[in-house]
Amino acid sequence: MATPTPLISKSLHVPPIEIVDGQGLTLVSRDGDRYLDSCGGVAVSALGHRHPRIVEAMEASTRDVTWVHAGSFTTRAVQDLAAYLTDRSAGLDHVYFMSGGSEIMEVALKLVLQHHMERGQASRTVFVSRRQSYHGSTLATLSLSGNTQRRACFDPALTTPVEFVSPCYSFREKRQGETDSGYVARLAGELDETITRVGSRRVAAFVMETVVGSTSGAVPPVPGYLAAMKEVCSKHGVLLLLDEIMCGLGRTGRYFAFHDDDVEPDIVTVGKGLGAGYAPMSALLATEEVMRPLREGSGVLENGQTHVNNPHGAAVALAVQKAVCEEGVLENSVGVARYLRSLLEEVKTQTPVVGDVRGRGMFLGLEFVDPEDGRSPLPHAKRFSQLLKSSGLANGVLLYPGHGTVDGTAGAHLLLAPPLVTTDAEAATMVERVQASITAAFEAWRQELSPV
């Protein structure tokens, strides 16, 4: 049992490691241990630590106005960040800022409901989401999340009406001999049938992560999937809401992840990489078609929270986004991502417990399998994930493993989302430590299952 402390940490039994310094990809503990960050914390640290441009912007902002009430005021920093994002979105003309991903997803759900109400379709209150998904930690966003582990404790209180459909998870759910187009048609048919069964006039939005993050480990859609989902939504007057809290803003190699998918969403949310850990910041972007009923109706988005359109966060986030777009960071990440993926593919060939390498850009996942057949989900996955995380720390690398990959219970994976400023040399060192950690964790896992 850990020594009692006033701070409530993630674990009440194991105290967290105190970090006293950070530089680039490296974190330094009070004990002097150094950890290479393979996951950006949780896909947050897009620029690593102590980026000089961001440090300067943070300092400059503290000499300016740091907070105003968004009900009455705005600032140049907020206006400039809004313009910066919309200019790069290709069709999403309106922006609203909050401080975290769960908050902005909650606001997005409110916007969806108010949009339909102001159009005279208040009966549209049901959301459609996907199994093996995660959209936030509030009760409403948990309701939309198909992550059974995170829902379990709160299920009795999750009252937002939601219907779940299959994820686009080709490694596990694409049938033998099925083409990508056939798989897409099957999933589109399922969505269409679900909306029809519930009633087109009752469904408000289809909500999905463009590339699935922590629940299943960087699962990308197959070609044509998003466009097909959008077509079904349009047929029924249902909005398409894309959650890019983890995968947006350069993480996948494109500024918005959906730019790879030939689709025009109605609403997109972004978060972690927006402030890159230098400031808590999130945003939703919406089309003019979504906002028009509000403007022509009540004239108010019915939401009020303390840090709506926060000027200090906006100033820092604008510096982050300019660094990503203007310092060659995005272009660098595309090249390093190819190299990183090639190294992970080598790990797969050398490590039988690794069954799949997937993802986009600097948002990659490894799925672990039973090495006996190279395909079945790894048994006792929760324990393997625990061993993998501790093995990573022992090998000087921060890892983000997960379990319940396949259905909430079976399977395990590792999510990699290193800072976009990672170099080839750092990627090579990272993969060496990742492979060593997987090998050590697997050996410890096997010994626990079959003690000598």
Side-chain angles (χ1 to χ4, degrees):
M1 186 70 67
T3 302
T5 170
L7 179 66
I8 301 174
S9 301
K10 177 71 172 179
S11 171
L12 302 181
H13 297 152
V14 180
I17 298 166
E18 184 177 349
I19 297 298
V20 297
D21 194 11
Q23 179 71 51
L25 275 64
T26 301
L27 298 170
V28 183
S29 76
R30 178 166 294 282
D31 294 333
D33 295 320
R34 302 172 70 85
Y35 304 101
L36 194 64
D37 188 354
S38 77
C39 52
V42 284
V44 172
S45 297
L47 297 177
H49 302 273
R50 291 196 193 178
H51 189 290
R53 181 172 185 166
I54 316 307
V55 171
E56 181 180 342
M58 294 174 72
E59 182 181 355
S61 179
T62 61
R63 295 194 296 267
D64 205 340
V65 59
T66 55
W67 186 91
V68 295
H69 185 255
S72 302
F73 304 107
T74 188
T75 62
R76 177 47 52 193
V78 171
Q79 297 288 343
D80 287 348
L81 179 60
Y84 205 85
L85 294 177
T86 57
D87 287 349
R88 285 155 182 78
S89 72
L92 297 162
D93 301 320
H94 302 276
V95 187
Y96 189 90
F97 297 107
M98 286 301 306
S99 57
S102 297
E103 285 182 306
I104 204 63
M105 281 299 297
E106 185 96 5
V107 176
L109 302 184
K110 288 182 175 180
L111 174 57
V112 167
L113 295 173
Q114 190 176 348
H115 163 84
H116 289 303
M117 183 188 69
E118 304 245 18
R119 293 173 62 234
Q121 298 186 14
S123 61
R124 290 185 180 269
T125 59
V126 179
F127 292 88
V128 179
S129 187
R130 304 190 301 178
R131 298 191 301 275
Q132 292 304 95
S133 61
Y134 181 63
H135 297 292
S137 62
T138 67
L139 293 179
T141 55
L142 267 180
S143 294
L144 268 71
S145 300
N147 187 313
T148 56
Q149 295 172 37
R150 297 187 184 187
R151 290 171 58 99
C153 183
F154 307 102
D155 259 333
L158 303 183
T159 59
T160 300
V162 182
E163 294 283 332
F164 287 96
V165 296
S166 300
C168 186
Y169 184 8
S170 61
F171 181 65
R172 288 291 173 195
E173 301 202 1
K174 188 177 175 183
R175 295 169 181 166
Q176 187 172 4
E178 191 172 37
T179 63
D180 282 349
S181 60
Y183 184 37
V184 166
R186 178 160 61 88
L187 294 175
E190 180 186 4
L191 178 61
D192 185 66
E193 291 166 8
T194 299
I195 294 173
T196 300
R197 172 175 53 80
V198 173
S200 293
R201 300 282 291 184
R202 294 186 59 225
V203 177
F206 175 50
V207 185
M208 59 165 285
E209 295 165 274
T210 309
V211 181
V212 178
S214 58
T215 300
S216 295
V219 179
V222 300
Y225 172 77
L226 260 71
M229 299 301 106
K230 174 64 174 178
E231 184 176 353
V232 172
C233 289
S234 298
K235 170 185 172 182
H236 293 281
V238 170
L239 297 182
L240 176 61
L241 167 54
L242 296 183
D243 178 346
E244 298 200 354
I245 302 295
M246 287 193 92
C247 66
L249 304 181
R251 173 59 55 192
T252 64
R254 301 292 296 274
Y255 195 66
F256 291 94
F258 69 85
H259 283 165
D260 272 328
D261 295 287
D262 190 28
V263 68
E264 295 182 358
D266 299 293
I267 303 173
V268 173
T269 57
V270 293
K272 299 177 186 297
L274 183 56
Y278 290 92
M281 203 67 178
S282 59
L284 71 78
L285 294 90
T287 64
E288 169 61 21
E289 288 72 21
V290 169
M291 296 304 301
R292 186 179 297 118
L294 279 69
R295 183 182 301 105
E296 296 177 351
S298 67
V300 176
L301 172 57
E302 292 291 349
N303 186 71
Q305 289 167 266
T306 303
H307 291 295
V308 171
N309 298 341
N310 182 273
H312 175 70
V316 175
L318 181 60
V320 169
Q321 298 313 304
K322 285 185 175 181
V324 169
C325 294
E326 299 170 12
E327 295 182 3
V329 171
L330 191 54
E331 293 80 4
N332 169 77
S333 74
V334 171
V336 175
R338 292 196 196 100
Y339 179 57
L340 177 60
R341 182 160 190 152
S342 71
L343 295 175
L344 293 173
E345 293 286 358
E346 291 180 19
V347 170
K348 178 186 171 184
T349 64
Q350 299 166 6
T351 313
V353 74
V354 177
D356 190 35
V357 178
R358 56 175 174 249
R360 291 181 181 174
M362 298 288 264
F363 198 54
L364 298 167
L366 304 180
E367 183 166 338
F368 301 108
V369 296
D370 188 337
E372 293 297 320
D373 62 20
R375 180 69 184 182
S376 301
L378 185 72
H380 304 283
K382 181 177 181 179
R383 182 55 182 154
F384 179 77
S385 294
Q386 293 169 338
L387 290 168
L388 182 55
K389 184 171 184 177
S390 58
S391 176
L393 294 175
N395 280 286
V397 60
L398 177 61
L399 300 179
Y400 191 18
H403 61 279
T405 309
V406 178
D407 57 10
T409 302
H413 66 268
L414 177 66
L415 180 66
L416 291 99
L420 304 182
V421 293
T422 301
T423 65
D424 282 350
E426 288 169 329
T429 300
M430 186 182 301
V431 173
E432 287 177 5
R433 296 181 185 182
V434 166
Q435 185 169 17
S437 301
I438 293 171
T439 300
F442 179 68
E443 189 60 35
W445 173 87
R446 187 166 57 181
Q447 289 180 8
E448 284 188 8
L449 292 182
S450 304
V452 177

